[in-house]
Every structure is written in structure tokens, then in C-alpha cells.
Amino acid sequence: METIGPFWNEPPRVELLQWLARGDLKQRLLQAVRLWVWLHFLYGEAGIKLNLPENFTYPEWRDAFFTATHTREEEIPALHDPKCRCAKTVAAWLFGSNFNLTQSKWKGELGKPEVQEKERSFEQSLREHHLLPDNLKELLHDTRLFGLTRRSLYGDLQVLIEIGWLKRQGNRYYRVKKYPRTPSSIQKSDSRLIAYNLDFLTQPDLAAIADNLSTRLNGQQRFFIHLEYVIPQDSIDRVEEWQAQLRELWQKEVVPPILLSYESAVWQTTLSVVVYPVCIYYYQRGPYLCAFGEVPQDESGKLDFRNYRLDRIQDSIPLSWEDSQVPVALKQRYQKNTLPIPDDIQLAIAEVWGFDYYQPAQLLLLRFDREWDNRYIRNTMRHATFARVAYQEVERLIRQNLKGEQQQKMLNIWRKRSPQDAYYQAQYRQGDPNVMQRLRAWRPNVEILLPVELREQARKEIEREWKNYEE
């Protein structure tokens, strides 16, 4: 936890909103912005912070936040008073000069260059992180951020409890004495490991279930998680050893770099690299150390992230930051206090599909037959960038990403497919084995249209697979 400051005044950066969204910011943008507003009125500076008792009920907050004519019932509030905060649009909250602007005063500011620049910067930041909703303009200018039912606002309070910004006893809510760590507070502070209760479960719905059902009910355990775990039995002790050692390192005032000896499955040899350990991430089938530093088998001297499965680590030796083995560029990152933090990894994984978050992003375009789509794909959450594409939009994507003969060939293939088929696009990490495993699991009901290199790889795999069944 972070010691409480005089007031809370974080700007609405994408990293913070992503943290508040606890998952897919593209789908939860409005709630993330709303939570950001909640925090200003609960912990903000004088003139913004609401005049509430030390512990308060929802009606007390409602009466302090909205005007007296705001509904006390369950319905969505009508536009009853231009001065009521339920009348303000999302844009007015995000880009207004202060939090007490009424909607009518905000409309007078819309034409100001500084307001327009704020909106352009916000949109560009979302675009760069592949989190831009298709209907952003409508969300910003036509949506009343707090024009919601009482039940929805109660839901916001519950989220604030879950992420450590409020406590509850009975029907009363208590402001915390220490702020939870946000992405910016961690960056400004040290690099020690932070525990967020159940926040390590990256799926918010799963974290909520675990929070509610992790304890026994009437003597019976009612909630279980089964994970595919590929770590060999004889390596479990080694995994525990590295976890314990890393825990000790992350509790130090200054986290040191480490000299890592790693048995690489890709290179089929033991590699030595100097890296800065960032966090442990369980992904799909095992625990990985996410580290930043030297890249195995790369003599260019560049720094980057890599993942190291814990059971394949042969040795890990802490070094001092003055050690001559530490790359100069990594020392400079330490001296400038710009070493990466776990939230950088979380954000990168949220932006692009795949656990190899350090690899370049690329457009993935897929086709499913309609029956398979109806059964297994439609209305499922694969990744924030995984989205349905209209049949007519496919042509534009092909023309945009291919040229010459490749373009014409793919257009001819697409035109032979049924318009009733389902198409999806996503941003994925090039070469990511986890994405490849998912695509293989969907065969023969999926067709890769883009990129053509991945399509060709799949074709060769299918040919090799077919040879196994030839009689």
C-alpha cells in the first residue's frame, strides 16, 4: 500500500484507466473513467473532494454528489437539471478544466484549442494501445457518465472495494488510510513487489468468484481451479527455490539485476544473460519469470523483455548494479529510474493477443463457418482486440495489408467463400506459440486469411499432419 498523500489528482492516462478497468479497457472504458472521477471526489483536493463523513452511506454520497432533484428511485435519471452531475458527458469529465464545471459551461469550452488537443491526445493514446472503441465520439459527447441507475453506481462502489480504495461495514463505506498502488505510484516509488490481494488473477470475474468463494461454506469447499501444469514433478523443488529467491530480491530496497543460466528449448542449449527480474507470470501451462535485459543469442546489445520458464532456470546469481557484467544500457535505465514495472507487461498483454508481449504486433484475419461461430466463437471473449468483421470489411483489410499478386490471390480466395461465414480480426504477437496453439485447436473450422505467412505455415503443418494418416 502507498502512504496517503494530501490529495489524489491522477490524470486519466491510459495506463491508469487500464488498471481501473481490471481487464478489457475497450469494453470497460466508461466504468474506468467513472471510477477515476469517483476517486477525485473521494480523495481529491479541496473544492473537489465531497463533504462526506468519515464513513458514509450511498444515499449520503448521492445527496452530496447530485442535486436535490436527482432521482431516489431505481430508474435511469432523466435530464432534470443541467447543473446536476448526472447531466455531464464523458468528454466534460475528461477534458473539462475542473471537476465542478456544469454541462452548459463545458459546452462553451468545446471550441477551445486546448480542449480539442486534450481530446485528440486521449484518442491517439487509445489508438496507439489498440484500445480505441469504434464509437468513441458517441461515447465521449453523447453519453452521460453518471446517467445510470442506482444499482450501477452501487456496482462502482463494489469495484472500489475490490481494488482497495474503499472498505465496507454493513451499509457504510470507509475511505482508506493508505492509497493502493496505481501504475504511476509504483513508477514514482521503488520496484518492490506489490501484492494486490486477488488482483494477481488477471480475469476480474475470476478474481470476484475467488474472493466470494475461496473460503469453505458450511465446511465444504465450493470453488476449484484446475490448471494445466506442464512442470515435471522432479522440477517442482527447483521452481519453489527460484520463487523464494526472487521474493527475497523483490523485498530489497534496491532490486538487483541477475545473471541467469537458462536451458533454452528453442536453442537446445544453456544460455547466460544478465537481466532485471520484473515479475512471475503464470500463463497457460506454467510459471515464467518476466525479465528485462540482454536478449539470448543476440549480439546487437539491445535490451528487451523475455520470458523464462522457472523449471528451466539452471542458476540465478544476483549482481550489484556496479558489476561490469551488467550492460551499460541497463545500468542507465537503473540510474534514470526507468526500469520496467509489472504494469508494463500487463498493459502490453492487454494491447495485443499473446504472451510474447515483446514481439511485434500484426493483424490476424480469420474465417469461421457460421455453425462453428454460432456454437463456439460468437459472444466469447478471446482478447480485447478480437472482434467480428463485416463481410464487406474483409476486402478493405486485404487491400490494406497486401499488394500486387498476393492481394489479388487472397481477394479471389475470399470471394469464393460464403458471405454467410463469420470473420474476425485481432492484433496478435508474431510467432506467439500460445496463439498458434489456439488456432490449431480450432482446425479444421478456421481459415487464416492474414497474415499470408501464417496462412502458409498452417498449410504446411496440415500437409505434414495429413501424412501421418495416409495409408
Side-chain angles (χ1 to χ4, degrees), residues 73-334:
E73 304 302 327
E74 286 293 344
E75 76 272 11
I76 294 175
L79 280 169
H80 60 97
D81 182 350
K83 295 182 179 180
C84 186
R85 293 187 174 108
C86 76
K88 289 179 67 171
T89 63
V90 178
W93 287 111
L94 281 171
F95 313 128
S97 58
N98 66 68
F99 277 79
N100 290 320
L101 275 179
T102 64
Q103 180 65 17
S104 56
K105 288 182 179 179
W106 157 251
K107 287 182 178 179
E109 292 196 351
L110 280 175
K112 292 184 178 180
E114 60 268 28
V115 172
Q116 295 175 353
E117 182 56 36
K118 283 182 181 179
E119 182 172 343
R120 280 195 296 268
S121 298
F122 183 74
E123 180 176 346
Q124 181 62 27
S125 184
L126 289 173
R127 189 186 307 278
E128 290 172 354
H129 291 87
H130 304 293
L131 295 170
L132 184 68
D134 295 334
N135 59 338
L136 181 65
K137 294 295 182 184
E138 177 184 341
L139 290 177
L140 292 178
H141 295 284
D142 298 335
T143 305
R144 295 185 294 144
L145 189 61
F146 283 87
L148 300 170
T149 63
R150 185 165 86 166
R151 179 176 297 180
S152 295
L153 295 174
Y154 264 120
D156 287 349
L157 286 167
Q158 183 59 38
V159 173
L160 291 171
I161 293 170
E162 292 171 3
I163 62 178
W165 280 100
L166 287 176
K167 294 182 179 180
R168 182 177 181 176
Q169 188 171 353
N171 68 339
R172 306 199 71 84
Y173 299 90
Y174 294 75
R175 279 175 283 200
V176 296
K177 299 299 182 183
K178 292 182 179 180
Y179 292 163
R181 292 217 176 176
T182 62
S184 60
S185 68
I186 296 172
Q187 186 117 26
K188 293 173 185 175
S189 175
D190 55 43
S191 301
R192 287 176 289 186
L193 181 66
I194 309 302
Y196 291 110
N197 298 323
L198 290 172
D199 284 2
F200 62 86
L201 294 173
T202 58
Q203 295 299 329
D205 295 343
L206 181 59
I209 295 172
D211 188 41
N212 290 327
L213 297 175
S214 58
T215 57
R216 290 178 176 268
L217 304 175
N218 292 329
Q220 297 291 328
Q221 186 67 48
R222 301 292 186 178
F223 176 63
F224 301 90
I225 300 178
H226 178 80
L227 300 174
E228 184 180 359
Y229 197 64
V230 299
I231 306 302
Q233 188 68 29
D234 58 4
S235 298
I236 290 178
D237 289 344
R238 183 187 299 172
V239 170
E240 291 180 355
E241 178 184 341
W242 299 139
Q243 288 177 349
Q245 185 182 114
L246 288 164
R247 178 182 174 86
E248 289 183 12
L249 293 181
W250 284 323
Q251 288 178 317
K252 292 180 179 293
E253 192 67 28
V254 175
V255 179
I258 57 177
L259 174 60
L260 205 64
S261 295
Y262 185 72
E263 183 184 351
S264 170
V266 174
W267 299 102
Q268 294 292 298
T269 187
T270 299
L271 308 170
S272 292
V273 289
V274 176
V275 296
Y276 174 72
V278 179
C279 65
I280 293 175
Y281 209 113
Y282 180 92
Y283 196 90
Q284 301 287 7
R285 293 165 296 280
Y288 292 81
L289 168 64
C290 303
F292 182 81
E294 291 180 325
V295 178
Q297 302 292 70
D298 187 325
E299 298 181 359
S300 67
K302 73 171 185 177
L303 304 179
D304 205 347
F305 280 103
R306 283 299 182 271
N307 299 322
Y308 301 93
R309 213 171 81 183
L310 292 191
D311 63 303
R312 292 183 177 148
I313 296 176
Q314 303 300 304
D315 199 8
S316 174
I317 303 173
L319 304 173
S320 74
W321 280 107
E322 290 73 33
D323 196 297
S324 60
Q325 297 177 86
V326 180
V328 173
L330 190 59
K331 286 182 181 179
Q332 291 173 343
R333 293 286 295 261
Y334 163 69

Side-chain angles (χ1 to χ4, degrees), residues 41-60:
F41 281 97
L42 289 173
Y43 298 98
E45 57 189 311
I48 294 177
K49 183 178 179 181
L50 291 177
N51 184 19
L52 289 169
E54 192 62 29
N55 58 81
F56 58 93
T57 63
Y58 171 81
E60 287 173 337

Side-chain angles (χ1 to χ4, degrees), residues 11-49:
R13 295 176 301 104
V14 169
E15 293 85 356
L16 176 64
L17 295 177
Q18 177 74 61
W19 182 79
L20 290 170
R22 301 152 298 124
D24 183 3
L25 179 60
K26 196 172 182 180
Q27 293 186 1
R28 299 177 178 175
L29 178 62
L30 293 184
Q31 187 181 50
V33 174
R34 204 162 54 247
L35 293 173
W36 171 73
V37 174
W38 272 94
L39 293 175
H40 277 281
F41 281 97
L42 289 173
Y43 298 98
E45 57 189 311
I48 294 177
K49 183 178 179 181

